[in-house]
Amino acid sequence: IFHLFLHTRKKMGLLLLLVICQCAINSIKTHIVSKPNIILLMADDLGIGDLGCYGNRTLRTPNIDRLAEEGVTLTQHIAASPLCTPSRAAFLTGRYPIRSGMAAFSRVGVFLFSASSGGLPSDEITFSKLLKQKGYATALIGKWHLGMNCESTDDFCHHPLSHGFDYFYGLPVTNFRDCKPGQGSVFLKGAQKHLVIPIQITGIALVSLAIVQYIGLLKVPLQALGYFLLIITVSLVVLIFFFSHFRHLNCFLMRDYQIIQQPLSYENLTQRLTKEAMQFIERNTDTPFLLVLSYLHVHTALYASENFKGKSKHGLYGDAVEEMDWSVGQVLDVLEKYNLSDKCLVYFTSDQGAHVEEISGAGEVHGGYNGIYKGGKSTNWEGGIRVPGLLRWPGVVQAGAHIDEPTSNMDIFPTIVKLADTQLPSDRIIDGHDLLPLLQGKVTRSKHEFLFHYCNAYLNAVRWHPGNSESVWKVFFFTPNFSPEGSNGCYDSHVCFCHGGFITQHDPPLLFDLSRDPEEKVPLTPETESRFHEILRVVHQAVDNHTRTLHAAPNQLSWNNLLWKPWLQLCCSSLFQSCYCDYESGGSPLQVHLG
């Protein structure tokens, strides 16, 4: 009887242990599929070499580094574009921006004005739309840069609230040098370069017409001459008005559909964005939420609050990075305060690499550091597209893991859509892939065998990671012409461009193996790589297959959609009152600036 009792107790113990294990497994499974909270943190123009967790030893980023320690560090995380607007479009939709018309065929690849008519098309499906349909509270705080209106000042066809966000607090366009007095202008140099000669030609033509009219060599109808002069005068007046009021017209802060500060004030701006993010979390502790906190840091104009100004070892740029890190820490702290850390996936990245050409008027470096990688923002060299990729979800993703497989910012779309227990759209191609199996260590290979790198709407390069190899081949069809020659960027033009005399075409294409040459220093040749022609053949076939999946989409970045349209201008007072108001600082809604 005694032996029978021991045997029975042993079986019961084993059974109890199995039940406990099964409960634990079920608990983890339930945790994964029970609509976790999602926080997506996106920096602007941050270099991969600016963070401690990616090797920086002089900038202090303990809170961002904490995400790496408690989560996964992606070491080959790729932005879908090296420019703000197309990269963010790809991030929100999980699709190459060429598919949605968010890639330019002209020189300008981003939106420059709040009163442009282009933007993320309303028929594009964003992850925020899908999560909102599943009961998530959704908010975008910070930079948008994906358009505002189409035909009138109140249609808000491209507004964040038209793309699945319940709440918006931030900038409709971006942070320009022109937005901050004393920081110079992005536009004046280009305007002077492209307008001076046409104005001179027009002036010479008018004087010549007047002379030939006076001496009788040619009879020009005075009415036609008057109309021509009127058109020129009106055009000049509009241009002068626009550039003299650029800050008021394009640099303003909105809450939902209302302008609350015009022009934008940089005073405690990061604190305000952070406070809005924390309050959104606090309002939704009992509701699944999606928060996209899109920092203005570290796009120029650089700024930092008094608590951070002059505290870093890298001037104002370093101050801005360290202030952003503080903000990340505040968000993580509020998650802990409400016991939400284990119920929340947190992702940190940058929209593209550091803008290496950013030098202040005083000669101070205002661009970031891309580590060992070549080039920067606006190029598809690794420095322009290899960005930080950090994901933390305690108990679900591996802690302290490093993954060197190719991944993309487009992967966030399918990853969080699946976590929200909803289906991917079946009527369109989604180029991203679910990251969770990779993050949990269930698989060791990325699903991205090929990644296509576009410079605006032009296919610039292709990355190939064969399934049976550790190599990561990268093929360039053209490369930007750095200026001055031998430098690491296009300093003469402030950014690199994608066509014409700004690039060099390569036939055969340049070939690199990033697994051996991540700095892209030495192109391979048939003499140094025996599989040279075979690799190019495979890549060309992949390009053909990819191209066949593309369908024409309205060009949202055409000149017509990029140009400033006065009838679309948002203004909290009136154009003749300099578009001034300040709700943020306690100003009256009717307060206007008459000076």
Side-chain angles (χ1 to χ4, degrees), residues 26-311:
N26 288 339
S27 174
I28 290 173
K29 287 181 179 178
T30 303
H31 185 63
I32 291 174
V33 299
S34 63
K35 295 183 181 178
N37 300 313
I38 310 288
I39 295 180
L40 309 176
L41 307 169
M42 178 171 280
D44 196 353
D45 291 2
L46 181 74
I48 194 171
D50 287 328
L51 302 176
C53 52
Y54 284 95
N56 194 295
R57 294 293 172 262
T58 52
L59 280 174
R60 295 167 296 185
T61 55
N63 296 296
I64 297 172
D65 296 346
R66 178 178 154 199
L67 292 174
E69 293 163 7
E70 299 174 0
V72 172
T73 301
L74 303 175
T75 59
Q76 197 178 163
H77 195 48
I78 307 301
S81 171
L83 287 174
C84 306
T85 293
S87 176
R88 290 163 185 270
F91 169 65
L92 280 168
T93 63
R95 288 153 51 84
Y96 288 109
I98 188 74
R99 298 193 190 278
S100 56
M102 295 293 282
F105 288 92
S106 61
R107 183 183 300 183
V108 179
V110 300
F111 295 116
L112 302 174
F113 313 126
S114 65
S116 297
S117 58
L120 188 63
S122 56
D123 61 353
E124 281 298 313
I125 298 176
T126 60
F127 54 64
S128 44
K129 281 183 180 178
L130 295 177
L131 267 62
K132 183 176 180 177
Q133 291 170 5
K134 295 296 287 188
Y136 274 71
T138 57
L140 174 74
I141 294 169
K143 170 177 169 173
W144 175 236
H145 210 183
L146 292 171
M148 189 55 49
N149 292 306
C150 290
E151 297 178 353
S152 66
T153 56
D154 59 358
D155 64 35
F156 296 112
C157 63
H158 303 307
H159 190 283
L161 270 60
S162 297
H163 282 290
F165 291 103
D166 299 321
Y167 182 69
F168 172 57
Y169 176 91
L171 272 70
V173 193
T174 188
N175 177 27
F176 294 110
R177 281 187 177 275
D178 305 68
C179 294
K180 189 178 180 186
Q183 293 297 304
S185 172
V186 172
F187 298 99
L188 283 182
K189 184 182 290 186
Q192 289 169 355
K193 183 177 180 181
H194 294 98
L195 291 177
V196 169
I197 292 177
I199 289 172
Q200 288 175 341
I201 292 172
T202 303
I204 292 169
L206 282 171
V207 171
S208 301
L209 282 172
I211 291 173
V212 297
Q213 173 85 0
Y214 178 76
I215 63 177
L217 289 177
L218 180 67
K219 291 295 182 182
V220 180
L222 288 177
Q223 191 176 18
L225 195 61
Y227 281 134
F228 182 64
L229 191 59
L230 179 64
I231 291 170
I232 296 299
T233 303
V234 170
S235 299
L236 283 174
V237 167
V238 169
L239 281 171
I240 291 168
F241 173 83
F242 178 77
F243 284 110
S244 62
H245 290 79
F246 182 91
R247 178 168 165 251
H248 290 75
L249 299 178
N250 297 285
C251 311
F252 52 85
L253 193 64
M254 298 184 75
R255 177 176 280 113
D256 293 335
Y257 297 120
Q258 183 186 16
I259 296 175
I260 58 174
Q261 193 173 58
Q262 189 173 17
L264 170 74
S265 168
Y266 287 88
E267 184 177 357
N268 296 323
L269 181 54
T270 300
Q271 282 83 347
R272 285 183 275 155
L273 295 173
T274 305
K275 181 181 177 181
E276 288 283 340
M278 294 169 68
Q279 289 177 340
F280 174 77
I281 294 170
E282 289 168 344
R283 290 196 301 269
N284 293 285
T285 54
D286 297 321
T287 305
F289 64 80
L290 163 70
L291 169 63
V292 179
L293 179 49
S294 177
Y295 290 103
L296 276 62
H297 289 318
V298 282
H299 196 294
T300 53
L302 294 179
Y303 68 96
S305 65
E306 290 302 320
N307 289 339
F308 295 91
K309 199 174 292 181
K311 300 296 175 62

Side-chain angles (χ1 to χ4, degrees), residues 437-451:
L438 200 60
L439 300 176
Q440 292 183 296
K442 293 180 178 178
V443 299
T444 58
R445 302 287 296 197
S446 166
K447 290 184 180 179
H448 288 292
E449 183 179 3
F450 297 97
L451 280 169

Side-chain angles (χ1 to χ4, degrees), residues 211-443:
I211 291 173
V212 297
Q213 173 85 0
Y214 178 76
I215 63 177
L217 289 177
L218 180 67
K219 291 295 182 182
V220 180
L222 288 177
Q223 191 176 18
L225 195 61
Y227 281 134
F228 182 64
L229 191 59
L230 179 64
I231 291 170
I232 296 299
T233 303
V234 170
S235 299
L236 283 174
V237 167
V238 169
L239 281 171
I240 291 168
F241 173 83
F242 178 77
F243 284 110
S244 62
H245 290 79
F246 182 91
R247 178 168 165 251
H248 290 75
L249 299 178
N250 297 285
C251 311
F252 52 85
L253 193 64
M254 298 184 75
R255 177 176 280 113
D256 293 335
Y257 297 120
Q258 183 186 16
I259 296 175
I260 58 174
Q261 193 173 58
Q262 189 173 17
L264 170 74
S265 168
Y266 287 88
E267 184 177 357
N268 296 323
L269 181 54
T270 300
Q271 282 83 347
R272 285 183 275 155
L273 295 173
T274 305
K275 181 181 177 181
E276 288 283 340
M278 294 169 68
Q279 289 177 340
F280 174 77
I281 294 170
E282 289 168 344
R283 290 196 301 269
N284 293 285
T285 54
D286 297 321
T287 305
F289 64 80
L290 163 70
L291 169 63
V292 179
L293 179 49
S294 177
Y295 290 103
L296 276 62
H297 289 318
V298 282
H299 196 294
T300 53
L302 294 179
Y303 68 96
S305 65
E306 290 302 320
N307 289 339
F308 295 91
K309 199 174 292 181
K311 300 296 175 62
S312 78
K313 296 180 180 179
H314 290 280
L316 188 54
Y317 183 89
D319 300 342
V321 172
E322 294 185 1
E323 182 172 37
M324 179 173 60
D325 179 79
W326 164 84
S327 174
V328 172
Q330 295 296 297
V331 172
L332 298 181
D333 288 348
V334 79
L335 290 177
E336 288 189 3
K337 178 181 176 181
Y338 292 99
N339 297 316
L340 295 173
S341 296
D342 292 347
K343 304 171 186 175
C344 187
L345 173 67
V346 180
Y347 167 71
F348 180 90
T349 192
S350 177
D351 54 358
Q352 65 266 324
H355 192 173
V356 296
E357 295 94 344
E358 277 288 5
I359 308 292
S360 74
E364 183 179 0
V365 174
H366 277 190
Y369 177 53
N370 292 317
I372 66 171
Y373 303 111
K374 186 174 182 176
K377 176 180 179 175
S378 79
T379 81
N380 280 304
W381 294 111
E382 290 297 284
I385 54 175
R386 192 181 289 223
V387 294
L390 305 170
L391 295 106
R392 187 195 79 165
W393 187 2
V396 178
V397 306
Q398 305 171 83
H402 286 69
I403 296 174
D404 194 36
E405 289 289 293
T407 57
S408 168
N409 64 350
M410 296 184 292
D411 296 337
I412 297 305
F413 181 98
T415 302
I416 66 175
V417 165
K418 184 175 180 180
L419 289 174
D421 196 25
T422 189
Q423 298 296 314
L424 291 176
S426 59
D427 63 341
R428 63 199 64 207
I429 292 174
I430 301 298
D431 297 297
H433 296 292
D434 180 12
L435 284 173
L436 201 59
L438 200 60
L439 300 176
Q440 292 183 296
K442 293 180 178 178
V443 299

Side-chain angles (χ1 to χ4, degrees), residues 509-525:
L510 298 185
L511 174 65
F512 298 91
D513 181 358
L514 298 178
S515 67
R516 292 179 287 166
D517 181 18
E519 299 170 67
E520 298 169 296
K521 283 185 173 180
V522 184
L524 299 170
T525 66

